[in-house]
Amino acid sequence: MRLEAVNTRRPLSSLREVRLMQVSFLQMIRNLVEYRNYMPASVLQDDIEDETSAQEQQEASSTDASNTRTSGGSSGGTKVAKAPYLHTSDIRTKRVTLMACNIVGFLKVGTDAQKIQSLLSKYLTAGLHHLKTSKGIPDSFSGDRLYASWNGVRTCSSHRVAAYQCAKEMCNDKTLGLHLSIGLVSGDVKCGNMGCEGMKKYSYIGSLSSWVHVVERIGRSME
């Protein structure tokens, strides 16, 4: 169902029960539209996959429990995977890990647009893969610089270790064949949904956002 196609201004029913259901449904649609505007597409997709997996496990567990009761046995508890907790409102202080990644020597690639596009496509595809496996959230990219975070949008208790493992995997990825410069910093920031109606984004405020660039540049200068 396309959320934009739902008419949120339709007349409400005169029946009280139906009217309450309509109001709740329309409010849910509005919240989903607002939620989607703020959240990165990768987070939404992962959340949907986790919810689907949890529902399938719940249904399988219910079926097994029903079959066991029918046969006269007893069923044990089954843990159902929960979707990651997503922060969708409020600006709060959180301890996060931020990453800035650059391709060393990127300016030497030249001005061939097709060659640049091919290089960036391979680089970002591999980067997004490693971020997903480490529960990292891709924030944005500009040129060859890729930004990512851990424990901000999605809770990740071992965010420092996860970020380090991601950086290590990216640097050792033989399929890329690229020399990368990666900066990692961890600390407290103010984070949350910020912006206006025309432009909004889950953002981080604090010195950590500047230090991640400094660390990445220091690493590059030491090559």
Side-chain angles (χ1 to χ4, degrees), residues 9-110:
R9 297 185 178 181
R10 293 179 63 182
L12 299 178
S13 171
S14 58
L15 297 177
R16 182 175 181 277
E17 291 80 3
V18 176
R19 184 168 65 252
L20 290 175
M21 291 176 63
Q22 285 180 305
V23 170
S24 298
F25 175 75
L26 295 176
Q27 184 60 49
M28 179 189 71
I29 294 298
R30 296 189 189 100
N31 291 340
L32 285 173
V33 171
E34 181 179 359
Y35 172 77
R36 188 184 60 184
N37 288 338
Y38 278 111
M39 290 296 104
S42 59
V43 176
L44 292 175
Q45 183 60 38
D46 289 346
D47 193 25
I48 292 172
E49 291 174 357
D50 289 337
E51 287 285 8
T52 302
S53 175
Q55 184 177 2
E56 290 174 350
Q57 292 184 42
Q58 181 67 55
E59 291 175 352
S61 175
S62 300
T63 301
D64 293 342
S66 176
N67 292 338
T68 302
R69 284 194 296 270
T70 302
S71 61
S74 60
S75 59
T78 303
K79 284 190 175 182
V80 178
K82 294 183 179 180
Y85 177 66
L86 302 178
H87 305 298
T88 58
S89 62
D90 300 333
I91 296 177
R92 64 187 71 197
T93 299
K94 290 205 70 182
R95 183 154 294 178
V96 303
T97 298
L98 304 180
M99 180 185 83
C101 178
N102 261 351
I103 300 175
V104 177
F106 177 70
L107 295 179
K108 298 179 182 178
V109 175

Side-chain angles (χ1 to χ4, degrees), residues 23-220:
V23 170
S24 298
F25 175 75
L26 295 176
Q27 184 60 49
M28 179 189 71
I29 294 298
R30 296 189 189 100
N31 291 340
L32 285 173
V33 171
E34 181 179 359
Y35 172 77
R36 188 184 60 184
N37 288 338
Y38 278 111
M39 290 296 104
S42 59
V43 176
L44 292 175
Q45 183 60 38
D46 289 346
D47 193 25
I48 292 172
E49 291 174 357
D50 289 337
E51 287 285 8
T52 302
S53 175
Q55 184 177 2
E56 290 174 350
Q57 292 184 42
Q58 181 67 55
E59 291 175 352
S61 175
S62 300
T63 301
D64 293 342
S66 176
N67 292 338
T68 302
R69 284 194 296 270
T70 302
S71 61
S74 60
S75 59
T78 303
K79 284 190 175 182
V80 178
K82 294 183 179 180
Y85 177 66
L86 302 178
H87 305 298
T88 58
S89 62
D90 300 333
I91 296 177
R92 64 187 71 197
T93 299
K94 290 205 70 182
R95 183 154 294 178
V96 303
T97 298
L98 304 180
M99 180 185 83
C101 178
N102 261 351
I103 300 175
V104 177
F106 177 70
L107 295 179
K108 298 179 182 178
V109 175
T111 58
D112 187 326
Q114 188 172 358
K115 185 176 181 181
I116 293 174
Q117 167 61 21
S118 176
L119 175 64
L120 288 178
S121 177
K122 181 172 68 171
Y123 162 59
L124 290 174
T125 298
L128 292 176
H129 167 71
H130 293 302
L131 284 172
K132 184 175 183 179
T133 57
S134 66
K135 301 300 181 184
I137 300 298
D139 184 58
S140 63
F141 77 92
S142 177
D144 64 317
R145 176 165 290 186
L146 173 64
Y147 301 95
S149 64
W150 285 260
N151 203 42
V153 177
R154 170 187 288 134
T155 298
C156 178
S157 58
S158 56
H159 53 95
R160 298 181 186 88
V161 175
Y164 169 75
Q165 290 294 339
C166 178
K168 182 179 177 182
E169 291 296 326
M170 288 179 67
C171 288
N172 294 334
D173 192 335
K174 302 300 182 182
T175 62
L176 270 176
L178 296 173
H179 188 185
L180 303 179
S181 173
I182 299 178
L184 292 173
V185 293
S186 185
D188 293 339
V189 296
K190 294 287 186 181
C191 57
N193 295 320
M194 305 176 196
C196 63
E197 187 61 32
M199 183 177 183
K200 42 196 168 183
K201 186 174 179 293
Y202 194 94
S203 304
Y204 304 93
I205 297 176
S207 59
L208 212 65
S209 300
S210 300
W211 273 109
V212 69
H213 302 293
V214 175
V215 173
E216 187 274 320
R217 291 193 191 101
I218 291 175
R220 203 183 331 163

